[in-house]
Amino acid sequence: MAKKNKKTQKNKSKKTQPKKGFHFEYDEALESTAVVKLKKKYGLFIGGEFKASKSGKTFKTENPATGEKLAELALADKKDVDSAVQAAKKAFKAWSELSGKERGKYLFRIARLIQERSREFAVLETLDGGKPIKESRDVDIPLAANHFFYYAGWADKLDYAFPGKKIKPVGVCGQIIPWNFPLLMAAWKLAPALAAGNTVVLKPAEQTSLTALLLAEVIQEAELPKGVVNIITGEGKTGAALVDHPDVKKIAFTGSTDIGKTIAKAIAGSDKKLTLELGGKSANIIFEDAAIDQAVEGIVNGIFFNQGHVCCAGSRVLVQESIKDEVIAKLKKRMSTLRVGNPLDKNTDVGAINSKEQLEKINSLVAIGKKEGGRFHEVDCALPKKGYYCKPCFFEGQTPASTLSRVEVFGPVLSIMTFRTPDEAVKIANDSNYGLAAGIWSEKSSKIHKIASELKAGVIWGNTYNKFDPAAPFGGYKESGFGREGGLHGLYPYVEVR
Amino acid sequence: MMDISIKTHKGKIAIPRYAIDMVGADERAASFTKRSIKKKSKLDALYCAISMTDLTTLEGADTVEKVRQLCAKAVNPVPPYIQHTLEGAKDLKAIPCVAAVCVYPNMVPIAAECLEGTGIEIAAVATAFPSGQFPLNLKLKDVDKTINYGATEIDMVISRGEFLEGKYQKVFNEIAAVKEVCKGRAHLKVILETGELKTYDNVRMASWLAMEAGADFIKTSTGKVSPAATMPVTLVMLQAIADYYRLKGKKIGMKPAGGIRTAKQAVHYLVMVNEVLGEDWLTKDLFRFGASSLLDDLLRQIFKQATGQYFDTDMFSI
Amino acid sequence: MENQSLKINKTIKLYIGGQFPRTESGRSFVHKIKGTNKPYANVCQSSRKDFRNAVEAAKGAQTAWEKRAAFNRSQILYRVAEMIEGKKEEFIDLFKTTMGMTKTQATNAVELGRDAFVYYAGFCDKFQQVIGSINCVSGPFHNFSSPTAMGVVTLVESDEFDFQNLCASLAAIIASGNTVVAILGQSCPSVLAPLAEVLATSDLPGGVVNLLTGNIEELYAVIGGHREVQSVNFQFGSKEMLRTIKESGASNMKRIVSAKKPALCLERITDHVEIKSVWHPIGV
């Protein structure tokens, strides 16, 4: 047999080798969901316990990848908000008087527990929010744990953060977070607040509450004193009740600029402290002396990361005229390798749009872009039949006045413009109500530093994009909000300095 | 930085200094390792990788018998005594032979004799491999003699010393001269020895220089310098090939060599080729692995896919 | 009567863009001596248009002011202090005459104001080191955060005149590269004249500090809605006005501060700066 086989091999050797390139289609590599035990109903986490809403009302949360219902969540109304705030108020004295060292140890515990249950968090995040498992696994969950680790270490070193000053915590903080990075935003909000000795009522977005509720379990497991963190689920009205509550001393909100403005107005007559992380229309500027292949990666990462549901997304690409054709040719080619589809597939690069409403909003803005006459290009790929999906796309030949150059889409839709000189790039980049982030691509670092100093944006990525780290302050200029999250500066909003 | 101007017999050409951002290239290269290649796609990739392997021995201690053994394995990667274990396995096709055997010039006649009629290429390292520190006329004689011995592919080294001295014209001339000797007789692979060029900017420029000078393939390493092939270095070279094709319309092949020992690594490289250059390059005519121990791991993984059992690598050894 | 020369009364004009215009509205009000009904001088009653002009001037001057070397801003602020010193007697006279201060009190007030400029002059190139940071991120990136100016700040002064507070407020706002439109309180509006003359002759570029006098009741409603104004420092004390400014200020997410602070402190600067974090790869 051996001999026969050898002969066959010899004769057929040419035949068995692919003459043309072989079609390398990756098989589906689904992440198992067995690690997640979904409950049918979830309660509100108030005073360390899970309870139903007082009204008994609930709402449903769905998987945007399929449109199927995942669970029923308690709908908190004014009374529930009040009991959560009261629980936080009751817990404040003991928590704020606890030594920083002990507070820090609780935060370290939470960080470790998130790491230990990271797979469960990742799968749940993807199920509830539609983001690719690759991202929830490699970005959201590790960064959330890291954020707790980072601020855990500050808790007993606040004297170094505010040298020569006397500080005290603010009190009960009301924190409202968005649906694009549910667990990570919860971590961004909770960790500095707790480190500084505040107690919290946190309201996750109604579309994506499940990982916050899993975090509540972790908080229970960490034996955090009851009432220090309260997590209430609900809709806009729930958030409004939290904002309006007289015993809430500080509001921290991440979300749309419209709602941010509403909140700012709502508390205008009070002494409440406020920090806002709002929208953006961030410019990603590609100079002709950039490393083009890496810049193209930066464009892709800037706008297609998390389906473009990123407040700092590089949604305006400004490319120097002399390299426009090369950049666009390479971008198209690169986009053709993006894998759009089931978020649980480990090979998926672009997952599901977070909700039906968001998909409709994106589609309507794309329609406006088309109507305004931008040259449109989208990835040629099949989309799943069920669920909410959008093909990654861009508009070329845009102007600073184009709707898509001004309005935040919060989806995988890119607006591309050209510029001629560095001054012009800065001018176009700053020509926005927003000022959250910007990217600068050039191999000339003196140019990067000059442009960085002239851009009105809170986060500048030189030769990279969409990088986050607990040690790096994040936040915007202008209508992108105020206050910083992350780093030493992330502590400022959570203390009163005397 | 100014582009490099090179004189050729057709006139002056420019070798662009094309910037590479190291951190970005490293990140992108790492992203390919996040692909999860399972089931049939994995099996297909493993087969493909075998067919692209330049099974290599480049030792001072190489002997006639050693090369004979290597050639036998090249023709028949799976030892006959375990072939029965694959019978009836799902999705299993006949294991292909490798693309080429790669040896020192002295061993070429042996390899040529062993591989006659198999379609397996006979690759030989020449031009004073691995250092390249010989006079050009000796290098050219080396190449000529090696082809006369029966080599169908020449893996030459560039003069890294001269490259680092900025004598790009000299480096170019050498490659072009070797190409003249090879023309119509053997395929030319140009080894950049990226581990000595150090920066990605250098790798990119050397890639372009080699392609302009007539390389059919560009190759990372001799295997004698550490690091040998890495994912980011290969990425930089693949992107140079992509640009060369976009601008000049000519498809150049790529050969990472050295350091690729596991099937998992090989699959990552194939994912990278697939996503940077596309499936046109997923053929032995345009992509090769320079490796020795890789083949056994590829076989091991194929047997795992086919039989559900992990085989001991010793079972496949020469 | 013939040998007695008629006194020339000084009209207090506005200070906008380095110039001394009268209010475009052609209105004035009387600065009365504290605790009396006696007029001291006629002062411009600024209109909303004057406010807009002042914001334009401040906006026009801002980028160049911010781009100056911090050391240079420091030198200029110190120069302001030198010029106050030169006009010391004029300030003392004014405070004595209009505010009912004793000579010692008036001298003290001027010296405190002067020293506030000295204090913030010294801070121009140092607060960045105090509140900036190198952020040790995971990965091959150099990452640093530094404070930058917000842009145009509107300062609304309290009616309780405090020269040190006025000087500290102005100096702290411009130390980081902001420019300012200050609406002075009504208790000593005539301070505009010597102060503006100090500023105009102290190498401070026109438009960096703009001073208005008038009735805040007329002006407060437009502050929040002016989109060229990035930040408001509201010291006037009226909760209702503050609320209106905050509500209308939400239109462009103005940074609004109103808490009282010690005259000399870092927080006066940090109230009006934005933190910018810059990432850059580390590679070859």
Side-chain angles (χ1 to χ4, degrees), chain B:
Chain B
M1 288 275 262
M2 298 267 286
D3 291 349
I4 306 301
S5 178
I6 295 288
K7 280 182 235 133
T8 75
H9 62 280
K10 288 179 198 156
K12 274 190 179 173
I13 59 164
I15 306 295
R17 286 194 193 262
Y18 198 85
I20 309 293
D21 183 77
M22 187 189 106
V23 173
D26 286 350
E27 253 175 35
R28 175 67 175 140
S31 76
F32 299 111
T33 69
K34 297 280 175 76
R35 290 284 188 226
S36 180
I37 306 300
K38 302 281 184 208
K39 300 175 224 169
K40 184 170 177 298
S41 54
K42 180 175 180 184
L43 204 53
D44 286 348
L46 296 172
Y47 275 97
C48 184
I50 292 181
S51 75
M52 291 169 162
T53 298
D54 283 5
L55 195 60
T56 302
T57 183
L58 294 170
E59 301 296 331
D62 283 345
T63 60
V64 170
E65 281 313 308
K66 165 80 195 290
V67 173
R68 269 191 216 289
Q69 287 168 11
L70 191 78
C71 290
K73 190 172 176 71
V75 176
N76 217 351
V78 182
Y81 85 100
I82 54 167
Q83 276 175 353
H84 69 276
T85 56
L86 292 177
E87 276 171 16
K90 196 173 148 265
D91 288 337
L92 209 75
K93 300 175 287 187
I95 304 287
C97 60
V98 302
V101 162
C102 183
V103 292
Y104 269 118
N106 271 352
M107 295 296 144
V108 168
I110 316 300
E113 185 196 318
C114 295
L115 299 175
E116 203 192 337
T118 61
I120 296 175
E121 305 291 343
I122 298 132
V125 294
T127 67
F129 181 95
S131 72
Q133 296 279 23
F134 273 34
L136 177 60
N137 61 343
L138 293 184
K139 290 183 184 179
L140 296 178
K141 271 192 183 164
D142 185 6
V143 172
D144 186 55
K145 185 86 182 167
T146 306
I147 296 173
N148 286 339
Y149 274 163
T152 56
E153 298 181 348
I154 294 294
D155 289 22
M156 73 168 285
V157 289
I158 67 163
S159 299
R160 283 87 72 192
E162 279 163 355
F163 185 93
L164 294 171
E165 281 173 335
K167 295 177 179 161
Y168 306 114
Q169 181 74 52
K170 232 175 150 186
V171 177
F172 179 92
N173 291 348
E174 272 199 6
I175 302 170
V178 173
K179 176 70 178 180
E180 270 309 301
V181 178
C182 292
K183 213 171 242 177
R185 301 162 72 198
H187 256 62
L188 177 61
K189 303 190 198 117
V190 178
I191 303 171
L192 309 181
E193 195 64 303
T194 53
E196 289 183 341
L197 299 184
K198 300 289 183 194
T199 68
Y200 297 164
D201 294 332
N202 278 347
V203 170
R204 168 76 191 205
M205 194 167 63
S207 299
W208 205 268
L209 197 71
M211 291 189 287
E212 286 284 23
D216 297 304
F217 266 70
I218 49 178
K219 175 176 169 185
T220 58
S221 321
T222 60
K224 304 295 179 194
V225 167
S226 181
T230 65
M231 288 280 286
V233 152
T234 306
L235 172 65
V236 169
M237 293 168 73
L238 291 175
Q239 285 174 331
I241 290 170
D243 283 332
Y244 199 76
Y245 178 62
R246 183 170 57 84
L247 297 171
K248 314 264 171 172
K250 191 176 170 202
K251 288 179 179 167
I252 306 293
M254 173 71 205
K255 179 177 172 185
I260 304 162
R261 294 187 185 87
T262 67
K264 196 172 179 179
Q265 282 177 297
V267 172
H268 291 159
Y269 274 88
L270 292 181
V271 165
M272 182 159 69
V273 175
N274 187 39
E275 297 195 25
V276 176
L277 291 169
E279 59 192 45
D280 280 8
W281 264 264
L282 288 176
T283 148
K284 65 168 185 165
D285 296 337
L286 287 169
F287 190 78
R288 299 282 179 84
F289 289 108
S292 45
S293 59
L294 171 65
L295 182 57
D296 284 348
D297 199 50
L298 290 169
L299 291 168
R300 196 165 162 244
Q301 295 302 327
I302 289 174
F303 274 61
K304 162 67 177 59
Q305 289 287 113
T307 67
Q309 290 175 38
Y310 271 111
F311 281 62
D312 191 330
T313 43
D314 287 349
M315 297 182 79
F316 306 110
S317 290
I318 296 167

Side-chain angles (χ1 to χ4, degrees), chain A residues 452 455 460 473 477 481 484 489, chain C residues 131 148 255 275-277 279:
Chain A
L455 291 176
I460 311 279
Y477 283 44
R484 293 293 177 267
H489 304 84
Chain C
I131 61 167
T148 67
R255 285 77 169 130
I275 298 294
K276 183 184 274 185
S277 298
W279 294 67

